[in-house]
Every structure is written in structure tokens, then in C-alpha cells.
Amino acid sequence: MAEDGLASHKRDPIKSSVGSVAAQKRRQNAVAVGKERRESLVRAKRLCRVGISGDSDIPLDSDMMIDEEQSILEAQTLSAVEELKSAIAFQGKGAMQKKVGALRELRRLLSRSEFPPVEAALKAGAVPLLVQCLSFGSPDEQLLEAAWCLTNIAAGKPEETKALLPALPLLIAHLGEKSSLPVAEQCAWALGNVAGEGEDLRNVLLAQGALLPIARMMLPNKGSTVRTAAWALSNLIKGPDSKAATELIRVDGVLDAICRHLRKADEELATEVAWVVVYLSALSNFATNMLVKSDVLQLLIQRLATSNSLQLLIPLLRSLGNLIAGDSHTISAILIPGREITDNIIEVLVKCLKSEHRVLKKEAAWVLSNIAAGSVEHKQFVYSSEAVPLLLRLLSTAPFDIRKEVAYVLGNLCVAPAEGNGKPDLILEHLVPLVGRGCLPAFIDLVRSVDTEAARLGLQFIELVLRGMPNGEGPKLVEQEDGIEAMERFQFHENEDLRNMANGLVDRYFGEDYGLDELAD
């Protein structure tokens, strides 16, 4: 079966001319969010300082060596790798204990600094030795220590992560049911770090069969293991190819596990599972359809309503936005005005618009813009909600990226649906009151923006005002807010579409005859 790929999924903008730009939003979100996570506390790659079982023989306060000279730490690492090499070669009594002790010492060094001495370990030849220690039949303690060392090496720089390529087959093999849970989880952690490095290494892991065994680790109700598996999966399926996301949702039990963990899990686990939903819904239409037909939408709304954790709210809101933007069934069959789920969506979006966090405001406006691009009933539902006063305030006061998303919501409220079954009085019902409440200057400010998408959006709204306001008021209102000057800056603009659009509006509404009727009176 051919891969489903991405259809045109985003809101219908107030004019279809920006559709080609808007239609890339989910894919761009999915690709860009990896960088966002890398720069946030929820990083794409994670150092392992405390063991899988929660215990650690390394004090994490005074003994983390943050202030210790890096050169000393590197020298100790070189010595530890040599000791491991000697331990592997040793065949006498206590050989196993000697090997585990050498592994533990190397692991301690790779765990004690915020910037572990990975380069020193690699130069000393650590990876081939660690691969030897992953051989089948080795005791769990040895496997766990070796996988832990590899996990922290994989958390290093890109070229350091790539050094793990020889270890990948054995790390994947130890994800199987015959492995103990701590060993499997530590291997999944190492593989999650590798997947977090980039598309090329993700493709290597997928080709070697890493997806299925990690997916199966999500199925039980074992918090730590599920959390690690979900995090690793979100790195593994993050695209830009949609094949892995589609493959994941097809795994028996995965969708049920996602619903179960969103419903019952603590916030830390729910956060990781929500990121899996973000990438599933961003990249695969097949996955989006499956998610929409399940309880996921309702569970996202419930979590959004009850949580105050920013780390959880961000993936919940982005998942909700992806599902609403990505599947027409959601809007037409589920988001029916008057139904409880629809009321609940508006409530959680209003909560996010009121948040102090910029990203929540922006994402909430994006979700609302997709709802407002639906039927006349959806437009009226959004317009009559508590969201509109908040949106009007944000349009004037918020940072630029939020103002642009808000402008899409308000613009979509004022135009009939593309299907042609809209009511012509939307102009009177929505546009006239919104202009009366002072939104026109903010749209004209968008026209002055260097952002071509925002400028086009501003011009489209100006056109609505020019041709739609009753009694010929549109041109006067635009002139009063210096809209003519804003449009004339496009007279020689390099963007042909914007130039033609702006010049056409000026010529049509402010040509030689403009103002003559007023003079005659």
C-alpha cells in the first residue's frame, strides 16, 4: 500500500491564495519541534545520571564534578577505558566481577559531569569494548552498565553519537522479551538518543527494526519503561518521512496504550505519550484518522482542562491542533456546536489564550483558526464565545507571531466557507462588529510587516473591509487608518502577488474618482 503522506489539512485561509503556504504547518511543526525540545528541558537527547531502577552510586550534588578540571576527568576516562580493555582480556578467577567493575567506573565518569568526557572515551576505543560487553549470555549487570555507557556517549555531539553505529544491532536485540526490563529500558534510552540526533540515524534505526520492539515496550503499565519507550518513539518517528508514524499506529495495542496512558498516567508519562501523538498526528494522515476515531481527542481535552504543567500542555495543545487541522471528519462529525466536547474545546482554548505562556497563546489561536475555517455554524460558535474579546486584545498587544495567528481566526470568521453554502450576512454579523471594535489598525500593521504571509493576510482583510462594509464606509475607514500608505509601499515590491494585490486594491477603491461623490455633496 502506498504511503498516505500529507493531504492539504490546515485551515482554509481567508483567501485560498495563501493555501500553499498554510498547508505546510503541520509538517513544519513536526520537523521544527525537535529543535525546540533540544533547547528546552524536554531535550531530544538525555544524559543518564541515575540508574533505571532509580538508585545511583554517584552523589548528584557535591560529587558531580561540575567545577573539576575537564583535563583530569579526561585522563581518568582514558585510564578507565584501558582498565576495561584489560578486564575483558582477563580470563582468571573473578573475571566477570572485574569486567563489571571496570564498566561501572567508566559509567561513573560518563555520568558525573554535565559535559561528559565522551571524546576521550571514543579516542581510547571505548565503543568496540562496550559492544563486546553487550554479547548475548552476559549477566544483566554487565549489559546494564555497558548500555548505560553507550547512552551517555550517544548524548554527545553529532559525530560522537554516530560512533554508536557498531553497537546498534545489539542494542536493538536486547529490546526483546528475553531481556530483563532494566536492560531493555536502558537500551531503548540509548537508541532514543541516537534517534534524536537526526534523520539519517533515525533511518538506520528504522531499517534495523528498532520501531516494533520499542513500541511493544509502551504496552504494559510500567511507568518508567513506558516513559522511556514513548520518549524514544517520539524521536524515532519525528520525520520528515511519515512512514514510521504510520507503521507505529498499526502496531497492535499501541493506540489502546496511548489512550490508557493519557487517561491514567502521571503528568511526566502523559507528557511523553502526548509528544508521540504530536508526531503521529503531524506526519501521518492514516494515524490521524485512527486517533480521531479513538478516545484521544476527548482525553486531550480533559488533560488540557486539568493540567497546569507547561511541559504537558504544549504537546496536548499541539496534538489537539493537529487533529482538528488534519481530518475533516473531526470538524464535520465531532465538533458540532451544542455538543459538550465542542464546548469543552473552546473552554480549554480560552484557558490557553489567557495563559502567560506565549507558546500556548499561539497554539490556541492556531486551533481556533482551523475551527473558524469550518462551517457557518462553527464561525458563529467561535464568534459568540469568550475567545473573541481575548483575540481582539491579543491582536493589538501580543508579539508578532501570536498576532498573525489571531488574525487568521478573525479573518476566517468573516468569510463564507469555501463550499459555497455560507450565508452572505457573515459580513454584517461578524466583520462590521469586529471592525467597530477596532481590529482594522492591527490588520493594516500586518500589511506593513516584512513577513509576506502576514502582509497578504492584512491585504485580504483590507479587501473584505473595502468591499464589504455597508454604505461605502470601507474606503474611508481604510484611509483613516493610513491603509492607503500601507498598500502603496507594495507599488514596486519584489513579490509579484503582493504587488498586484495591493496595487489592484488602490486602483479599484482609491482611483481618480475616489472622493468625488463627497465633494459633490
Side-chain angles (χ1 to χ4, degrees):
M1 174 177 163
E3 173 53 36
D4 56 309
L6 283 174
S8 179
H9 52 266
K10 194 158 183 242
R11 60 191 169 213
D12 292 318
I14 65 173
K15 274 199 171 179
S16 60
S17 59
V18 293
S20 60
V21 176
Q24 300 303 315
K25 178 67 180 280
R26 275 199 302 159
R27 181 184 292 273
Q28 290 170 348
N29 266 354
V31 174
V33 75
K35 183 174 184 294
E36 294 174 21
R37 294 185 79 192
R38 183 189 295 268
E39 293 171 353
S40 70
L41 293 176
V42 188
R43 296 190 306 172
K45 294 165 73 172
R46 299 175 176 176
L47 197 65
C48 179
R49 287 200 178 123
V50 178
I52 292 298
S53 60
D55 58 342
S56 174
D57 49 8
I58 305 171
L60 294 182
D61 45 7
S62 60
D63 230 3
M64 278 176 49
M65 302 182 67
I66 292 176
D67 297 321
E68 184 171 348
E69 288 290 336
Q70 194 71 15
S71 58
I72 297 176
L73 188 58
E74 291 173 358
Q76 292 173 332
T77 302
L78 292 171
S79 175
V81 174
E82 287 301 316
E83 183 62 29
L84 176 59
K85 190 180 299 183
S86 172
I88 291 173
F90 182 69
Q91 300 292 329
K93 185 178 179 180
M96 191 62 65
Q97 290 82 358
K98 185 178 178 67
K99 194 186 305 182
V100 170
L103 282 168
R104 185 178 295 117
E105 178 58 26
L106 178 59
R107 181 261 299 170
R108 284 173 174 165
L109 295 168
L110 290 170
S111 306
R112 289 177 70 178
S113 168
E114 185 179 355
F115 303 101
V118 173
E119 184 178 0
L122 293 177
K123 284 183 177 179
V127 170
L129 301 176
L130 294 170
V131 171
Q132 282 185 258
C133 294
L134 286 177
S135 60
F136 279 98
S138 301
D140 279 0
E141 190 176 9
Q142 175 179 315
L143 294 172
L144 189 61
E145 294 287 355
W148 190 341
C149 289
L150 290 166
T151 297
N152 287 354
I153 291 173
K157 300 172 184 176
E159 62 275 13
E160 295 168 348
T161 305
K162 290 177 184 176
L164 257 70
L165 281 170
L168 299 185
L170 279 172
L171 287 170
I172 294 170
H174 284 298
L175 299 172
E177 296 177 356
K178 294 182 179 180
S179 297
S180 69
L181 211 54
V183 169
E185 182 178 346
Q186 191 65 64
C187 290
W189 191 334
L191 294 170
N193 277 344
V194 174
E197 185 49 57
E199 181 183 0
D200 290 344
L201 286 174
R202 283 197 289 277
N203 289 338
V204 171
L205 290 172
L206 291 169
Q208 293 187 11
L211 183 68
L212 183 59
I214 299 179
R216 287 174 175 159
M217 291 173 67
M218 271 191 68
L219 304 186
N221 290 321
K222 301 183 186 301
S224 173
T225 302
V226 175
R227 188 167 61 246
T228 300
W231 167 75
L233 284 170
S234 69
N235 276 346
L236 196 56
I237 68 169
K238 66 173 56 171
D241 194 314
S242 61
K243 185 177 179 181
T246 301
E247 184 180 340
L248 175 59
I249 202 68
R250 291 179 186 272
V251 175
D252 285 344
V254 162
L255 183 55
D256 289 340
I258 288 172
C259 292
R260 186 173 69 252
H261 298 317
L262 285 177
R263 183 180 291 112
K264 297 181 179 180
D266 59 57
E267 291 202 330
E268 190 176 358
L269 172 53
T271 298
E272 300 300 350
V273 174
W275 278 113
V276 174
V277 177
V278 167
Y279 291 113
L280 288 172
S281 57
L283 292 165
S284 168
N285 288 331
F286 180 83
T288 299
N289 293 335
M290 296 285 289
L291 291 166
V292 166
K293 292 172 184 176
S294 72
D295 293 333
V296 165
L297 197 65
Q298 185 64 56
L299 294 169
L300 292 173
I301 296 166
Q302 290 172 0
R303 281 283 190 169
L304 278 165
T306 56
S307 176
N308 291 312
S309 164
L310 180 63
Q311 287 193 344
L312 175 57
L313 289 171
I314 290 173
L316 289 174
L317 186 55
R318 188 162 293 178
S319 295
L320 177 63
N322 286 345
L323 293 177
I324 289 175
D327 188 85
S328 59
H329 172 75
T330 312
I331 294 277
S332 61
I334 297 179
L335 299 185
I336 300 173
R339 286 186 59 180
E340 183 180 2
I341 188 172
T342 311
D343 293 336
N344 291 343
I345 285 178
I346 295 296
E347 287 178 11
V348 298
L349 293 176
V350 166
K351 169 187 173 179
C352 293
L353 288 176
K354 291 179 176 179
S355 167
E356 296 178 358
H357 298 291
R358 173 176 179 157
V359 65
L360 295 182
K361 293 177 182 178
K362 181 179 177 181
E363 295 284 341
W366 175 57
V367 179
L368 281 166
S369 72
N370 281 292
I371 299 174
S375 67
V376 170
E377 289 74 24
H378 287 111
K379 295 172 188 291
Q380 292 171 331
F381 180 67
V382 173
Y383 180 79
S384 61
S385 74
E386 188 185 349
V388 168
L390 297 170
L391 292 167
L392 286 168
R393 186 166 71 248
L394 289 171
L395 185 66
S396 299
T397 62
F400 172 77
D401 57 339
I402 298 175
R403 285 190 285 123
K404 187 166 78 169
E405 291 296 341
V406 168
Y408 267 112
V409 187
L410 298 175
N412 279 338
L413 291 177
C414 298
V415 292
E419 292 79 7
N421 59 351
K423 300 177 183 178
D425 58 0
L426 273 180
I427 293 287
L428 295 177
E429 288 184 4
H430 297 168
L431 178 65
V432 174
L434 288 173
V435 171
R437 293 164 78 174
C439 73
L440 181 57
F443 277 96
I444 292 175
D445 282 344
L446 291 180
V447 174
R448 298 188 179 99
S449 166
V450 296
D451 183 301
T452 56
E453 184 183 353
R456 183 181 287 108
L457 178 57
L459 288 171
Q460 290 171 347
F461 192 83
I462 287 176
E463 182 179 6
L464 282 177
V465 172
L466 291 172
R467 64 179 168 83
M469 294 296 287
N471 304 318
E473 296 177 3
K476 296 176 186 177
L477 290 170
V478 171
E479 183 182 22
Q480 288 170 8
E481 300 298 340
D482 295 327
I484 300 175
E485 175 272 329
M487 288 187 287
E488 285 181 337
R489 64 183 286 270
F490 289 97
Q491 187 172 0
F492 303 105
H493 198 273
E494 60 183 12
N495 186 299
E496 183 178 2
D497 289 341
L498 293 181
R499 183 173 68 245
N500 292 339
M501 190 176 182
N503 292 342
L505 291 176
V506 172
D507 291 344
R508 180 176 179 183
Y509 292 99
F510 303 100
E512 294 179 0
D513 296 335
Y514 177 65
L516 291 182
D517 292 342
E518 195 173 308
L519 290 173
D521 294 341

